[in-house]
Amino acid sequence: MLTSNSGHVALELERAHTARNYAPLPVVVAEAGGAWVTDTAGCRYFDCLAGYSALNFGHRHPALVRAATEQLARVTLTSRAFHHDQLGAFCHELAELTGTEAVLPMNTGAEAVESALKIARKWGYEVKGVPENQATIVVADGNFHGRTTSIISFSGDKDATTGFGPYTPGFRSVPFGDAAALASAVDATTVAVLIEPIQGEAGVIVPPDGYLTDVRAVCDADNVLFLADEIQSGLARTGRTFACDHEGVRPDLMLLGKALGGGIVPVSAVVGSWAVMGVLQPGQHGSTFGGNPLAAAVARAVIALLRDGAPQRRAHDLGEHMARRLRPLVGRGVTAVRTRGLWAGVDIDPAVATGRQVCASLLRRGVLAKETHGATIRLAPPLVADPNDLNWAIEQLAAVLCEGDVR
Ligand SMILES: *Cc1c(COP(=O)(O)O)cnc(C)c1O
């Protein structure tokens, strides 16, 4: 760890010139492939964060690198002022994967969320008939939808909000997993409900069974759009293509990002029916890079990987395996484990260590993981991980917790 000179130089330059909005663990990655990364000193680490699930298919997946390389040799950017030969195919294939009609291509997750909020408001005024500037959107406590000014306006995280006001009005927050609370927050001004089907940053919080079905019913009863933020939960992570699939629920707008770019380029999208998406007319929304040829080509290769269901099955099978091995840790330095597919939230007993301390110890043992909200460690390795490597990583966690190896 950081024994190489190039690692020290990289750190010094960051310290001098990189805005301090992150507090990274002390490892300087130089190379990666599959589920493993190598630092500047040549030490290897098993990646249990996978770029917050942007790397569901692993680092440098051959099919994705091939798609990117081929597109790099053709055309990478046109802007949306002109057509290009990848966009229609990308939107068609994503519409097919999601069982919807229309796709709005953007770049980052936060942009997809912002876009969906704008579409929902416009739909509210033009289709539902909400009086101008009165639209409300109901969200869930503990949400994470990104870092833009409007999105943090409905965040409950003090670090995310303090010092960044004034906030965008028009949002109401209710407890996550409580459909009755959600129903009582909806009124005639409500145009949308925005939730993560599983809250990722909050610590892989899985709502009670039936919650998504109930949210759908509330939205149907009150003519409100159901916006599902599947940016972290979608694209095979939970063992199904989308987390909403676990309840067979179809949102009105689904927001995708992270893994859609294959860990190579930022690609996000809002998908839905023409009845909703159709409110956007030329000039009313846009993005210079949204839907660019390189992004579209990589995303098409991602969609192709998902088409036969293999990554979804692998997430499910590896996830069962992971859950079986994590459960015995409860009571041994761990207070709770939540899993859905290859996605786990592991709550560390505060009497034993903080999440950060455990992550620092894991790093020394060759496992990359990141705490969230102090006491929770999220385990979300690439879906291409080898089961033996996953076992080994969990053994490292057990050793850190049980052998008092936390420093
Ligand atoms: C990461 C994330 C976002 C924001 O994505 P960015 O690409 O970082 O802007 C939004 N929603 C959820 C659920 C996320 O996990």
Side-chain angles (χ1 to χ4, degrees):
M1 220 181 302
L2 295 185
T3 52
S4 79
N5 192 43
S6 67
H8 283 291
V9 170
L11 271 191
E12 267 318 304
L13 292 175
E14 274 198 31
R15 200 166 290 140
H17 302 292
T18 306
R20 303 195 180 111
N21 56 326
Y22 281 87
L25 287 157
V27 55
V28 181
V29 175
E31 285 175 32
W36 289 83
V37 309
T38 306
D39 73 8
T40 47
C43 300
R44 296 179 77 233
Y45 303 82
F46 182 68
D47 187 355
C48 276
L49 183 65
Y52 300 91
S53 289
L55 289 157
N56 278 1
F57 309 98
H59 295 270
R60 298 189 304 107
H61 187 290
L64 303 182
V65 169
R66 195 179 319 121
T69 309
E70 283 172 12
Q71 192 59 42
L72 277 173
R74 294 178 65 235
V75 58
T76 55
L77 188 65
T78 57
S79 88
R80 292 288 306 279
F82 314 108
H83 297 282
H84 67 77
D85 64 7
Q86 296 297 308
L87 183 61
F90 162 55
C91 294
H92 166 70
E93 289 158 13
L94 188 58
E96 202 170 60
L97 184 78
T98 54
T100 55
E101 296 170 331
V103 173
L104 172 72
M106 298 296 287
N107 311 283
T108 64
E111 286 177 306
V113 175
E114 285 281 349
S115 304
L117 298 175
K118 287 174 68 178
I119 294 166
R121 283 178 167 184
K122 201 156 192 292
W123 174 87
Y125 300 130
E126 293 180 1
V127 179
K128 180 166 176 170
V130 172
E132 203 182 320
N133 293 332
Q134 299 299 303
T136 57
I137 293 174
V138 180
V139 300
D141 297 350
N143 68 73
F144 181 86
H145 297 287
R147 299 296 202 164
T148 61
T149 312
S150 288
I151 292 173
I152 61 150
S153 296
F154 52 87
S155 167
D157 176 353
K158 286 282 162 281
D159 287 338
T161 56
T162 304
F164 299 122
Y167 305 113
T168 305
F171 299 96
R172 296 176 185 152
S173 193
V174 297
F176 182 63
D178 183 343
L182 187 117
S184 59
V186 167
D187 66 20
T189 67
T190 306
V191 297
V193 167
L194 168 66
I195 56 161
E196 299 154 83
I198 294 173
Q199 290 189 328
E201 294 307 303
V204 192
I205 308 297
V206 181
D209 285 345
Y211 176 63
L212 302 176
T213 309
D214 291 345
V215 171
R216 179 71 270 178
V218 168
C219 290
D220 287 343
D222 289 298
N223 194 23
V224 167
L225 301 178
F226 181 178
L227 317 186
D229 181 345
E230 293 256 17
I231 289 166
Q232 194 167 155
S233 59
L235 307 176
R237 173 55 62 187
T238 67
R240 304 291 296 267
T241 310
F242 304 107
C244 285
D245 293 346
H246 289 275
E247 291 193 27
V249 164
R250 301 281 301 270
D252 296 292
L253 293 178
M254 194 189 285
L255 322 184
L256 299 172
K258 292 204 165 102
L260 191 57
I264 298 177
V265 279
V267 187
S268 69
V270 181
V271 302
S273 67
W274 279 121
V276 180
M277 200 74 81
V279 300
L280 287 183
Q281 295 299 317
Q284 295 173 350
H285 190 61
S287 163
T288 302
F289 290 97
N292 70 72
L294 181 60
V298 171
R300 290 183 66 195
V302 166
I303 294 164
L305 288 179
L306 290 163
R307 212 169 270 131
D308 72 354
Q312 294 88 323
R313 277 191 299 278
R314 197 173 165 86
H316 174 268
D317 295 346
L318 276 178
E320 299 266 286
H321 180 88
M322 178 170 74
R324 261 197 312 275
R325 277 157 201 270
L326 285 175
R327 258 181 244 121
L329 298 182
V330 176
R332 297 162 66 202
V334 166
T335 55
V337 171
R338 297 168 295 278
T339 65
R340 183 58 67 86
L342 194 57
W343 203 18
V346 178
D347 294 344
I348 304 300
D349 184 346
V352 172
T354 64
R356 178 80 183 188
Q357 286 169 326
V358 171
C359 289
S361 294
L362 284 172
L363 181 69
R364 283 191 288 272
R365 289 171 166 272
V367 177
L368 297 187
K370 171 76 172 69
E371 81 284 0
T372 178
H373 293 287
T376 301
I377 296 176
R378 169 181 27 199
L379 296 179
L383 311 182
V384 299
D386 185 293
N388 295 320
D389 293 345
L390 183 56
N391 285 348
W392 173 82
I394 295 169
E395 280 164 21
Q396 302 316 303
L397 175 62
V400 164
L401 293 168
C402 303
E403 293 166 11
D405 178 42
V406 183
R407 271 176 274 166

